[in-house]
Amino acid sequence: PTTNVVQHSLTRVGKARHLLAWNWLSREDAGSLVVALESDNAEQSLPGWLNTEYETARAFRSVRSRRWLPSRLPEDMDEAASSSSSPTSVSQWLHERIMQRREDDVDFAILPLEDQEDFILKDVWKSIDAEARKNASLECRFTCLRKLGWRAGYSAGFPLAADSLQAQRRRELVARTSNPEDVAALAELNEFDEEQAWQDWISMSSAEREAAERDAWEQRDRSTLFIDDSPYSTVLDSTMPRWFAEPQRAGNLVFLPNILIKLVRNTTPAGKPYDPWKATFRVPLNVHKHTVKSYLLAVYGLRTTWIRSMIYRSPLTGTNYGQQIATGKGRTFKKVEVGLLEPFIWPEIPAAKRKEIFGGAFLEQQRAAATLKAKGIRRWRGKK
């Protein structure tokens, strides 16, 4: 989807049918094309400008699928726009032309806004020369490639967010810092990054550009939708995928922790009551108590009064070389205890549910242990 439209080996008749489906031609040219297609020798009756118009229309659909807008109006259209009372930008000129066309054509008014822009900009694309079309195609491909994160960030190692998120991040930076030089330095680095990426892009060959687009598409953020490939996405009122103006989030944004925290029963000495104002967790060795405190607050909304952590190492065994090694696998663990604002009693399994949860094996094990204890027999090996 990020590369140019693939050149299919269409016949002249197939190209003519595509031009009619895309509503590319004027009424006179479309009428002559229909007459040529209905003739007995359609391939020979088609006009000579067919191939040129097809390539022009195909290139226009490609750039409009990437939301191309001209940087400036052509001279004839610019003169007509400047003759108005106030200076007109490209977006304002496009809006005025759409509103005028809606009043004149009812069928045009029911089209989606993007298709309306396509039909207005079609004349602009026809009026520019081949070199300008080539440059416009390169700029559109470059813009979409940067959206995918290609060489994003002045370090070229960390992709930046979308433009709207960058602006929001910059506003937050301005609000939090008292030094405006930091904001200016960030903007300068971003501009340098954009300019350097553009210079690298235009210096590439066609094969290198296509390879860069394929790599960027394969390495894109899969939680973000960049292209609308639904059946309702059209260009020139004909089905074709189109890039979103702003990348869309795929589903709800959910942050999942990548650590395993287990709630276990509190350690209670013999003869002491269970402490309901304390909770005990087993955590990885690289997780400190401040992480556990913020995790409980952010995920579960649980506030704690105090917190302490401790590491229990596995037993050490001496070797023949005078070294000490930890015996067993995974026996070293870390325990974190937190103070609670509300009491929590560890739930006991009801006797009626034990058979349902553990099955007959649990009861059989308990019965065998009770029998051995009653007979005074000690097994040298446990049985489970």
Side-chain angles (χ1 to χ4, degrees):
T2 59
T3 57
N4 286 335
V5 180
V6 180
Q7 176 64 42
H8 300 284
S9 56
L10 293 176
T11 61
R12 288 169 55 83
V13 175
K15 294 179 180 179
R17 291 173 178 172
H18 274 74
L19 289 177
L20 293 176
W22 296 342
N23 296 317
W24 178 257
L25 303 174
S26 60
R27 293 185 178 180
E28 294 77 10
D29 294 339
S32 63
L33 212 58
V34 171
V35 173
L37 290 174
E38 293 177 352
S39 61
D40 297 334
N41 192 2
E43 193 71 26
Q44 301 296 330
S45 303
L46 293 173
W49 45 260
L50 178 64
N51 292 334
T52 304
E53 287 294 328
Y54 175 78
E55 294 298 330
T56 305
R58 189 177 66 87
F60 176 75
R61 281 169 55 86
S62 176
V63 297
R64 277 302 297 167
S65 67
R66 295 173 171 86
R67 299 185 171 274
W68 168 78
L69 284 178
S71 57
R72 60 182 182 85
L73 297 174
E75 295 182 358
D76 53 347
M77 298 181 181
D78 195 9
E79 292 176 358
S82 60
S83 61
S84 59
S85 58
S86 60
T88 307
S89 62
V90 174
S91 58
Q92 184 179 356
W93 172 85
L94 182 61
H95 176 71
E96 293 176 356
R97 292 294 300 272
I98 290 175
M99 299 303 296
Q100 181 180 0
R101 183 76 177 272
R102 287 177 180 177
E103 296 177 357
D104 300 338
D105 191 351
V106 179
D107 296 334
F108 179 82
I110 63 177
L111 293 176
L113 178 60
E114 295 172 344
D115 286 345
Q116 295 178 6
E117 294 177 351
D118 294 341
F119 284 105
I120 298 298
L121 295 175
K122 179 176 64 173
D123 298 332
V124 179
W125 184 259
K126 290 181 179 180
S127 62
I128 60 180
D129 55 6
E131 187 66 23
R133 294 171 187 168
K134 180 181 177 181
N135 295 335
S137 178
L138 286 177
E139 291 178 2
C140 290
R141 292 170 62 186
F142 174 76
T143 302
C144 295
L145 195 61
R146 295 285 288 176
K147 287 182 180 180
L148 295 176
W150 181 72
R151 300 194 181 185
Y154 50 85
S155 63
F158 303 92
L160 294 179
D163 295 340
S164 59
L165 297 181
Q166 290 186 32
Q168 180 181 359
R169 185 186 303 174
R170 185 171 301 179
R171 288 194 298 268
E172 293 178 355
L173 182 61
V174 173
R176 294 181 181 181
T177 183
S178 59
N179 187 6
E181 296 180 358
D182 297 341
V183 182
L186 177 61
E188 183 179 356
L189 288 172
N190 290 334
E191 293 176 1
F192 174 77
D193 169 49
E194 190 76 15
E195 181 181 357
Q196 186 64 35
W198 170 252
Q199 295 298 329
D200 295 342
W201 172 254
I202 61 179
S203 63
M204 290 181 177
S205 61
S206 179
E208 292 175 342
R209 293 193 188 105
E210 293 181 359
E213 288 173 324
R214 286 193 298 267
D215 293 342
W217 181 255
E218 289 296 329
Q219 300 173 9
R220 72 188 186 278
D221 182 9
R222 301 306 175 99
S223 64
T224 306
L225 299 179
F226 298 93
I227 296 179
D228 180 13
D229 56 354
S230 64
Y232 307 102
S233 176
T234 58
V235 177
L236 285 177
D237 200 19
S238 181
T239 303
M240 185 176 183
R242 191 193 295 264
W243 283 72
F244 287 111
E246 291 291 340
Q248 304 295 313
R249 173 65 60 179
N252 296 326
L253 187 61
V254 180
F255 296 96
L256 297 178
N258 57 354
I259 56 177
L260 183 61
I261 298 180
K262 296 187 295 183
L263 175 64
V264 298
R265 188 192 297 266
N266 295 337
T267 302
T268 304
K272 298 291 183 179
Y274 188 85
D275 188 2
W277 301 95
K278 181 177 69 173
T280 307
F281 299 91
R282 291 282 185 92
V283 299
L285 295 176
N286 59 344
V287 174
H288 50 75
K289 53 187 178 183
H290 304 290
T291 303
V292 177
K293 183 177 181 180
S294 61
Y295 169 81
L296 295 176
L297 179 60
V299 178
Y300 299 102
L302 179 64
R303 297 184 180 276
T304 58
T305 57
W306 54 266
I307 183 169
R308 68 170 67 99
S309 62
M310 55 213 75
I311 296 178
Y312 293 88
R313 294 196 59 181
S314 60
L316 300 179
T317 303
T319 63
N320 297 332
Y321 302 98
Q323 298 176 349
Q324 288 185 342
I325 60 175
T327 58
K329 182 179 180 181
R331 298 184 61 183
T332 300
F333 64 92
K334 187 172 187 177
K335 184 175 73 173
V336 177
E337 296 178 347
V338 299
L340 304 177
L341 294 175
E342 297 179 0
F344 172 74
I345 305 298
W346 186 269
E348 296 290 344
I349 301 178
K353 290 290 185 179
R354 289 186 179 181
K355 184 177 180 180
E356 178 183 346
I357 296 175
F358 297 102
F362 176 78
L363 297 180
E364 182 65 27
Q365 179 184 356
Q366 297 295 326
R367 188 180 299 110
T371 303
L372 293 176
K373 184 177 181 180
K375 293 182 179 181
I377 301 175
R378 295 185 60 185
R379 293 182 58 89
W380 66 274
R381 182 177 59 185
K383 180 181 180 182
K384 295 184 180 180

